[in-house]
Amino acid sequence: MTGRKNAMLTTEDRRWLTGEKTYDGQHAKQQRYQRRKDIRERVYNSMLDFSILFEELEEDEWRETLGEVDDAGRQWRDADDDLQAGVRDGLAFLLRSVGIGALIREDGSASGTIPERMVTTAVRRAGHRDGMLVESVSVDIDATDVGVPELLEELEDGGTISPSGLYLLMESGVVDTDVVQECLRDQLFDEPTEEV
């Protein structure tokens, strides 16, 4: 994951963000500051580049870069798992950046908010690019605010958490998913040893 060619993030940025690289010593604070500043600038400039890509990248190059989705929108041809995860997480990153979390937490009503305007405009622009007039866009969000600290407290107190709560803990990074997978393997596939 961290050894790819430079892109929005450099190899060193990836190593630092994932904890493979640390800054120690006399100038560590300045080095961390500079790394964060460089990342912010590249992310900002990359967002501006998306306008150029959207308007100017030829269809053949678009498909060659990202693969192609079938006419029904159900099958993504030529897109590996990493690319699909990158697109998914890119959308999540952008939605979070425009305040989708606060919107969901508030009351789920998107009317007039920045996320609603961004999603609506993006869908309309994408539709227009494919020769369609998008007359309306509707996104229905049904969410429950379950905080990670509360889930951890429930576990510590010996309580039970729901499957979605467990999923939230794993997605939050608080739980080591390798350990969870090993526990599941032990529970599901290891046969108990008989005591003699």
Side-chain angles (χ1 to χ4, degrees):
M1 177 170 89
T2 59
R4 296 188 319 271
K5 292 181 180 179
N6 289 344
M8 184 184 300
L9 299 176
T10 66
T11 301
E12 291 305 302
D13 293 338
R14 289 185 206 109
R15 290 183 63 227
W16 181 66
L17 287 169
T18 60
E20 290 179 33
K21 176 185 180 116
T22 59
Y23 293 108
D24 300 316
Q26 181 180 0
H27 302 290
K29 185 175 180 179
Q30 179 61 32
Q31 289 171 319
R32 287 190 300 269
Y33 170 81
Q34 189 62 47
R35 177 69 60 194
R36 285 191 296 269
K37 182 177 181 284
D38 290 346
I39 290 170
R40 284 193 308 270
E41 288 175 1
R42 277 195 300 281
V43 169
Y44 178 86
N45 287 318
S46 294
M47 291 300 105
L48 299 181
D49 285 347
F50 278 114
S51 294
I52 296 169
L53 290 170
F54 183 78
E55 293 294 337
E56 305 300 335
L57 192 65
E58 295 177 13
E59 291 294 325
D60 291 345
E61 288 301 315
W62 199 310
R63 281 191 292 275
E64 189 71 29
T65 303
L66 297 172
E68 192 172 11
V69 176
D70 69 14
D71 291 337
R74 300 194 189 285
Q75 183 65 36
W76 198 346
R77 301 180 194 115
D78 306 321
D80 58 41
D81 291 343
D82 289 340
L83 176 61
Q84 292 184 51
V87 170
R88 177 202 65 212
D89 292 341
L91 287 170
F93 174 81
L94 295 173
L95 287 170
R96 187 164 184 253
S97 297
V98 297
I100 196 75
L103 172 72
I104 293 169
R105 193 168 279 116
E106 192 175 291
D107 66 0
S109 171
S111 183
T113 63
I114 292 172
E116 188 249 356
R117 288 193 307 268
M118 291 283 189
V119 169
T120 299
T121 305
V123 170
R124 284 187 174 141
R125 285 179 51 78
H128 182 259
R129 178 78 191 247
D130 286 336
M132 291 179 281
L133 173 63
V134 177
E135 295 181 20
S136 70
V137 177
S138 175
V139 177
D140 190 23
I141 301 171
D142 186 13
T144 304
D145 189 8
V146 180
V148 170
E150 290 82 3
L151 289 171
L152 292 174
E153 186 178 316
E154 183 69 25
L155 275 177
E156 187 176 34
D157 292 343
T160 304
I161 60 172
S162 69
S164 58
L166 181 59
Y167 176 77
L168 178 64
L169 285 177
M170 290 191 302
E171 283 293 308
S172 72
V174 173
V175 174
D176 185 343
T177 56
D178 292 335
V179 172
V180 172
Q181 289 177 57
E182 193 57 41
C183 288
L184 287 172
R185 274 189 210 95
D186 290 347
Q187 183 179 1
L188 297 173
F189 302 113
D190 286 353
E191 294 190 19
T193 56
E194 294 182 20
E195 292 185 19
V196 180

